[in-house]
Every structure is written in structure tokens, then in C-alpha cells.
Amino acid sequence: MTERTATPSKTPPPSPASRGRGGRGRPPVVPDHRGGRAPVRSRPPLPARLRRDWQLLLMTLPAIGLLAVFHYTPTLGNIIAFQNYNPWDGVLGSPWVGLTQFERLFTDPRFWSAVGNTLMIAAVQLVFFFPIPIALAILLDSVLSPRLRLVLQSIVYMPHFFSWVLVVTLFQQILGGAGLFSQMLRQNGHAPLEIMTDPDAFLFVVTSQMIWKDAGWGTIIFLAALAAVNQNLYESAAVDGAGRWRRMWHITLPGLRPVIILLLILKLGDILNVGFEQFYLQRDAFGSNVSEVLDTFIYHQTLVTGNFSAGAVAGLVKGVVGLVLILLANKLAHKMGEHGIYRRA
């Protein structure tokens, strides 16, 4: 008898049609991060996702309603930028003027003066104020005693809860013509200081006020980022002989880099919003030629003179410029290898 040898049967590979979502074959595969191939998980349909996540969606309804009422609905009021708006006639009764309000604003020298002051103040604060919360967070994180760290954090957080009226008054009592320093100079036979009324000292004063008030509060995010840094990296670096400065340069700052870039992007998008109350309180003391910013300019154009359309145009221009800066800064962050605010899927 001849012994018949059984040969394994070869199963033909599944057709491309059977590999789709509705086929019975294997799911499609894509290369994974290790060079292999991982199956692609199909996304559930919208009704299934709604049934699965309806509790989470219900929890977000109050936040969505808040944004809709106080943010998106008022945005529709920018339509008055293209009208000669009269509050008595309303939006429907005010005549349309097209881009006339834009032409009038762009030919107003006071607008460009406010833009120049705003950019100058924002640049100074970006250079001198933005790095201070980072350095302060690193110093607070290096404090070994938890009780001492808590006391220091409470001290540096406290000025954030003071109103700008109190902050400006405090600086006036110290640096003003009748303040503490001026009285000490008079007692020693010197001329008093006039820092709070000197236009050349305006940038120094407002930046100092910003640092004293909000530098401590700005450390919260950086302290949270420092808490996420792996402590084993510091121990390994110390064993290898790395000093304090080298550990900070090679471990601490790289750990803070994503947060720094994210906040820097948000700061660039908010560069034209340097504040209102701080500058309005000191506008008369320093003079409008150095203290007039876009927010105070919009206030005087709308509530003081009653030209609501001009104020809407200035606010709309400020918002568009901020949006463009955020998009450009986010694209630059992507080129640097960071996620930025968002990343296209």
C-alpha cells in the first residue's frame, strides 16, 4: 500500500472587500509605533456614542449654556460695527454704513496711539513679567519644608485677591509725591520723587504693579507641572554628578517646556488685552499719551462719547488680531514639536 501524505490546504487570503467594516475578514491594519501592524478600531456611530456618553453630555450642558448666553450671543452684537448704531433705534432700525466705521477708526490718530501703547506695554510685560512666575515656581518647588512652602505660597498668592484700586493706592502711598520715599528724601534735604506722575516711569510702574499682584498667582500652573516631573530623574542625575543648575537646565525646564509654550501662545493671543482698570485709574496722573490703551480707548469711544459703532469696530479688530496671533503661534509650536493649544487629527 502506498501511504498517502496529507498536504496542508492553503486558504486564499481574504479579499479587500472582506476587510472592510462590514466584512467577516480581519480588520484593517496600520503600522504601530514599534514598526509592527496594529488593527484599526472602527469608530462607533453617532447614536451609539450619544447613548454611551449621555451622562457626560448632560454634565456639560450648564457650561455650554453659560458660553452661549454670555459669549456667543453677545458676539452677534458685532453687527453694529457695520452700522451707524443708535441705541434708541436698535440694531434693526440703525442704518447700514458698510466699512465707513472702519475707515473712520483707522484714520483716527488716537486709535493708533492706543495701539502703540498697548503693544509697548504688552512687550515689556512679556519680557519682564512672563519669566518671573516660572522662576518663582522653581524656587518654591526647591523648598524642602512643606510648612515653609505653604507659608510662602500663601504670601505670594495674597496680592492677587487685592483690587486694582488698592494696588494703585498702595503704590501711590509709597512712590507718590507725598509718599513714603518722598518724605524720607525731604527729611534728608533732597527733592521728592514724582514717579507716579512721571510719563517716563509709566512702564516701570505698571509692570511693577503687575509683577507684585499676579506673579505669585501665575506660579500655580507651573507648580502643578513641576509636580508631574519624575523625581527619579533628579536622583539619577545627582548620582551621575549633576549639580543643581545642571539638573534644572536638563530636567526641570524641559519638563516645563510644554506648559511654557502653551501659556506663551495664550499670552500672544491676549496681547492686546493688557487690562482696563489698572490703566484707567492712572490715566489722568500719567497722561493719556502714554497710558491710553485699547481697552480705555474703547471705553471712551462707547460709554463716554456714545459712539458704540466705533467701540465695536475697535473690539472686533482686537479680537481678529488675537485670533491670527494664536493661529500663527500654534503653528510655530507644531513646527517645534509641541502640541500647542490643539493639534489637527
Side-chain angles (χ1 to χ4, degrees), residues 204-240:
F204 166 76
V205 171
V206 296
T207 305
S208 301
Q209 293 170 351
M210 179 69 69
I211 292 174
W212 184 79
K213 186 177 188 296
D214 288 331
W217 186 256
T219 62
I220 294 178
I221 297 178
F222 297 109
L223 286 173
L226 287 174
V229 178
N230 189 358
Q231 298 298 319
N232 294 329
L233 297 177
Y234 292 102
E235 297 176 2
S236 300
V239 171
D240 292 338

Side-chain angles (χ1 to χ4, degrees), residues 152-173:
L152 294 177
Q153 288 179 353
S154 301
I155 293 174
V156 298
Y157 291 168
M158 189 180 301
H160 173 76
F161 300 98
F162 297 161
S163 67
W164 276 115
V165 176
L166 182 59
V167 173
V168 173
T169 303
L170 181 62
F171 271 74
Q172 181 68 36
Q173 294 297 323

Side-chain angles (χ1 to χ4, degrees), residues 172-191:
Q172 181 68 36
Q173 294 297 323
I174 296 176
L175 302 177
L180 178 63
F181 285 170
S182 295
Q183 292 180 6
M184 293 175 60
L185 290 174
R186 287 193 186 95
Q187 292 175 0
N188 291 276
H190 299 284

